[in-house]
Amino acid sequence: MSPSGKRSASFARLKLRSRGWLGSLLLAALAFGFVVPILWMLTTSFQAGDRMYELSTVWIPSAWHFENYSNALSRSPFSQYFLNSGIVAIAVMVSNVVFCTIAGYGLAKFRFPGDRYVLLVILATLMLPLEVTLVPTFLVIHGFGWLNTYQGLAGPFLIDAFGVFLMRQSMLSIPADYIEAARMDGAGELRILLQIIVPQCLPALAVLAVFSFRDNWDQFLWPLTVVSQDEFRTFPLGLVRFAEDYGSPPTEQLAIAVLATIPTVLLFVVLQRAVNRGFGLSGLK
Amino acid sequence: MAGVTLRDVVKRYGTVEAVRGISLDIPDKQFVALVGPSGCGKSTMLRMIAGLEEITEGEICLGGEVINDVAPKDRDIAMVFQNYALYPHMSVFENMSFGLRMRRIPASEIRKRVEDAAAILDITELLGRRPRQLSGGQRQRAAMGRAIVRNPQVFLFDEPLSNLDAKLRVQMRTEIKRLHQKIRTTTIYVTHDQVEAMTLADCVVVMNGGLIEQFGPPQDLYHAPRTRFVAGFIGSPAMNFLDCRLEQRATGLSLSLAGGLCFAVPVSRSERYRPWVGKPILFGLRPEHITDVRDHAREDRAEFTVTMDVVESSGMETMVYFMIGEAEVCGRVETSRAVEPGQSMQLQANLGHMHLIDPATNLVI
C-alpha cells in the first residue's frame, strides 16, 4: 500500500473509532440521565427528614437513617398494599402471557374470514388512552358488581392489545414449516403452540411479562377509580394516602418508593437476557 | 410401504387453478421426482399428498385407501422440508424423536430407532447438538433422520437440496440415492433442478402449468420427449429449436431451415413425417448431437459450416454457440477441434436424434 493509501486507511479507522467513542459517550450521558433520579431516590431514602429540602444534594448521607423504612412501614399497612399490587400485577401478567400468546398465534398463523379486521380492531384499542375509556369501563365493572374487588382491579387489563400485537409480530417471523413439520410429526395444535412456537417466542414473552407487570404494579388511575376500601388499596394509592394523612417526611415516601421498585427490577434481572433479545424483536426501547 | 395414487386431483385457490386434474400412479418402493418450473404446481401436489393442503377435487390414495380426509399425522407419511424445519430449541436427538414421542412409542424403542437412523446417516456424534450448531449438510441429514425414524410408508422431499452449495448438493444427492437404495421406501421428491430429478429418480414427472406433461423413466424423457416443453426442459444445455419446413424432394424428404440450410430426413423416419410435408414445423436437436465432423459415412449425419459467436471450454468438452437465421444454436465439440470466436467451423448434425414438433399442438411428431 502506498503511504497515502496507508494514511487514508488509518484515517478511516480513526474516524470509525471516534464515531464509536461518540456513540458510547452519548449512551453514557443518556444512561446517566436515567440512573441519577434512581440514585437520588435511593440515597435520599436514607437521609434525615429535615435534610430533604436542602439546596445542595447530598449523595452520600452523613448518617444512614435506616429507620425511614421501618417508620414508613409501621405508619401505614403497606404490606397489604404491596400484596394487593402484587396480586393484581401477577394476575394481569400471567393472564396476558397466556391470552396474548393464544390470540397472537391465532392471528399470526391462521387465516379466517375477517382476520385482518380483527387485528385492526385490536390495534384501534391501542389508540384510546385509559382516560377515554375510564368511565365506560367503570360502568361495566360496576355492572358486574366488581368494585372493591381484585377482579375489578385486574379485569380490564387481563388481555392487552399491545401484548396481542407483540406476540403476533413475534410469531409471524417463525416459518410455517415448523408448524407443518410438527403436524406431520403428530402434534396437536395446543402441543404445537406450547412445544414448538412458545419456546421460539421466549424473548417476546419476557418483554410482555415485564411490561404487563410493570404497568399494573404501579397503576394509579384505575385503582383510584374502582377502590374505596382500604383492604383493596394498591401501593400507589397507599403512598398518596400516606402523604396526605401523615404529612410524613418525603424521605419515608422515598423509602416506600425504593421498596416498590424492587419487584420490577428483580423481574427484569431474572428475565434480562430474554428481554434484551426481545426489545430488538418488538422494536421497543 | 405403499404406493400412492392420484385421481383427477384439482387444487384451486379462489379462481386460480394450481393443479388441474392430475392422475398419477406411483408404485410401491419407487423414487419419483416431480420436476417443473416455479409455479407449475409440483409443491402444491406434494403438500396435498402430505395433507398440508386440502384437495379441491379428486382423490389421493395411499396403499389403496383414500386419504383425502385423513389428518397429516395419521397418513403415515414423513416429509423433509426445503429449509429442513428442524426445531431450533431442540437437539438433533429431540428433533428426530419428536414424532415418535407424539406416537407414544416406548423410550427404549425411540432411542434404538434414533440411534439406528443416526448410524445410517452418519450423524451419531451430532445427536446432542442444536440445529444452529450444524452445517448445511448436517442439518440436511438430521432432517432426513427425523423422517426415517418414523419408518413411514412414504417419504416426501420438498426441494431439500436447494439451500446447499453446488458441491454439497452433489454429495447429498448421492446420499439420498444411497438412502433410498438401502431402505426402499416409496419416495416423492420435488425439485426444479432437472439434473437432480434425472439422476435420482426411477421415474420423473414433468409438470407445467398445473398439468403433467410427461411421466416416465429419465432416459425416456430425455430421448423420447412427447412435448416441446419436455424436450426443452429436460437436458442441459437445453435442446436447440429451429423453425423449418418439411419438403418433398427428388432425393426424399428434407428439412429446409433458415440461412439456406437443408437437412435430408433419414429414410427410417420419412413415413412418420410425410403428413407434415409443406407445413411449418419445429426442428429440435440437442447440443450433443451437433458436433465436430466425426463420421462422414452415416446417412443420418448432415454437415454444415457456421461462424462461431461464443466458444466455452469446460476442459472435457467445449460448447460452441452460433446463429442459424435468428436463432442461437448450441453445439458440443471436442476441445482440441474448437475454433476461435469469429472463425468458421464445419459441424455435423446427428439427425438420428432429431425431434420434429408440430407448432400447433406443441407435440413431438
Side-chain angles (χ1 to χ4, degrees), chain A residues 104-125:
Chain A
Y105 181 51
L107 288 167
K109 295 296 175 195
F110 293 88
R111 298 279 71 85
F112 52 89
D115 52 354
R116 287 177 61 192
Y117 298 104
V118 170
L119 180 67
L120 279 178
V121 168
I122 290 172
L123 286 179
T125 65

Side-chain angles (χ1 to χ4, degrees), chain A residues 85-149:
Chain A
S85 283
I87 289 171
V88 172
I90 289 171
V92 170
M93 180 182 77
V94 170
S95 148
N96 266 301
V97 163
V98 172
F99 292 123
C100 294
T101 302
I102 295 170
Y105 181 51
L107 288 167
K109 295 296 175 195
F110 293 88
R111 298 279 71 85
F112 52 89
D115 52 354
R116 287 177 61 192
Y117 298 104
V118 170
L119 180 67
L120 279 178
V121 168
I122 290 172
L123 286 179
T125 65
L126 277 176
M127 320 292 170
L128 301 172
L130 179 63
E131 287 77 4
V132 174
T133 56
L134 191 68
V135 174
T137 313
F138 173 80
L139 291 175
V140 171
I141 294 298
H142 180 255
F144 285 169
W146 285 359
L147 296 183
N148 288 308
T149 60

Side-chain angles (χ1 to χ4, degrees), chain A:
Chain A
M1 194 186 281
S2 69
S4 67
K6 269 185 190 166
R7 256 202 310 279
S8 67
S10 60
F11 180 69
R13 258 201 308 276
L14 198 69
K15 208 169 143 187
L16 206 66
R17 203 177 297 166
S18 63
R19 200 177 290 170
W21 274 102
L22 197 69
S24 302
L25 208 66
L26 275 172
L27 281 176
L30 204 64
F32 185 73
F34 279 112
V35 167
V36 161
I38 296 170
L39 283 179
W40 180 80
M41 174 181 77
L42 192 64
T43 58
T44 309
S45 71
F46 294 105
Q47 296 275 18
D50 55 350
R51 299 290 299 271
M52 172 78 191
Y53 297 108
E54 283 181 6
L55 282 177
S56 57
T57 301
V58 179
W59 288 102
I60 299 171
S62 51
W64 292 81
H65 293 271
F66 292 99
E67 70 277 9
N68 287 345
Y69 284 77
S70 50
N71 288 346
L73 288 171
S74 63
R75 278 191 231 265
S76 214
F78 269 107
S79 51
Q80 179 66 40
Y81 299 156
F82 278 129
L83 180 69
N84 292 343
S85 283
I87 289 171
V88 172
I90 289 171
V92 170
M93 180 182 77
V94 170
S95 148
N96 266 301
V97 163
V98 172
F99 292 123
C100 294
T101 302
I102 295 170
Y105 181 51
L107 288 167
K109 295 296 175 195
F110 293 88
R111 298 279 71 85
F112 52 89
D115 52 354
R116 287 177 61 192
Y117 298 104
V118 170
L119 180 67
L120 279 178
V121 168
I122 290 172
L123 286 179
T125 65
L126 277 176
M127 320 292 170
L128 301 172
L130 179 63
E131 287 77 4
V132 174
T133 56
L134 191 68
V135 174
T137 313
F138 173 80
L139 291 175
V140 171
I141 294 298
H142 180 255
F144 285 169
W146 285 359
L147 296 183
N148 288 308
T149 60
Y150 287 124
Q151 59 267 40
L153 280 164
F157 309 102
L158 289 179
I159 179 157
D160 177 38
F162 165 74
V164 173
F165 184 64
L166 179 72
M167 294 313 296
R168 174 188 177 268
Q169 293 307 102
S170 162
M171 289 172 184
L172 273 182
S173 62
I174 298 174
D177 282 359
Y178 291 127
I179 298 170
E180 292 179 343
R183 268 186 206 137
M184 296 203 69
D185 272 340
E189 293 306 320
L190 189 63
R191 193 181 289 274
I192 292 173
L193 176 62
L194 293 179
Q195 292 195 1
I196 305 298
I197 301 296
V198 166
Q200 296 185 59
C201 295
L202 287 180
L205 267 178
V207 170
L208 178 62
V210 170
F211 277 19
S212 60
F213 182 87
R214 184 204 61 186
D215 290 351
N216 289 280
W217 171 252
D218 59 6
Q219 175 86 259
F220 178 72
L221 185 58
W222 179 249
L224 184 69
T225 312
V226 291
V227 169
S228 56
Q229 295 171 5
D230 204 38
E231 61 179 300
F232 291 104
R233 225 177 275 276
T234 55
F235 91 82
L237 298 184
L239 201 58
V240 171
R241 191 168 183 213
F242 179 69
E244 284 169 354
D245 287 0
Y246 300 99
S248 57
T251 47
E252 289 182 16
Q253 291 176 42
L254 287 170
I256 296 298
V258 168
L259 292 178
T261 310
I262 292 171
T264 311
V265 171
L266 276 181
L267 187 66
F268 181 78
V269 167
V270 170
L271 300 175
Q272 188 180 21
R273 187 179 287 185
V275 167
N276 284 344
R277 277 195 290 152
F279 277 135
L281 286 179
S282 63
L284 298 169
K285 183 67 192 164

Side-chain angles (χ1 to χ4, degrees), chain B residues 156-184:
Chain B
L156 306 178
F157 288 85
D158 188 6
E159 306 206 24
L161 305 183
S162 57
N163 290 337
L164 303 179
D165 62 52
K167 194 176 167 193
L168 201 52
R169 202 178 304 157
V170 174
Q171 187 188 332
M172 288 310 297
R173 204 165 70 195
T174 316
E175 293 209 11
I176 291 174
K177 184 84 178 168
R178 192 174 294 136
L179 182 68
H180 181 253
Q181 283 166 355
K182 209 178 278 180
I183 57 179
R184 302 301 301 174

Side-chain angles (χ1 to χ4, degrees), chain A residues 175 177-188 191 195-197 199-200, chain B residues 47 50 52 73 77 79 81 83 85-89 98-99 102-103 146 150:
Chain A
D177 282 359
Y178 291 127
I179 298 170
E180 292 179 343
R183 268 186 206 137
M184 296 203 69
D185 272 340
R191 193 181 289 274
Q195 292 195 1
I196 305 298
I197 301 296
Q200 296 185 59
Chain B
R47 291 170 58 79
L52 300 173
K73 67 186 169 77
I77 288 174
M79 183 159 166
F81 290 80
N83 62 7
L86 291 169
Y87 311 126
H89 53 289
F98 186 76
M102 292 302 104
R103 284 167 174 76
R146 184 169 66 179
R150 278 181 43 200

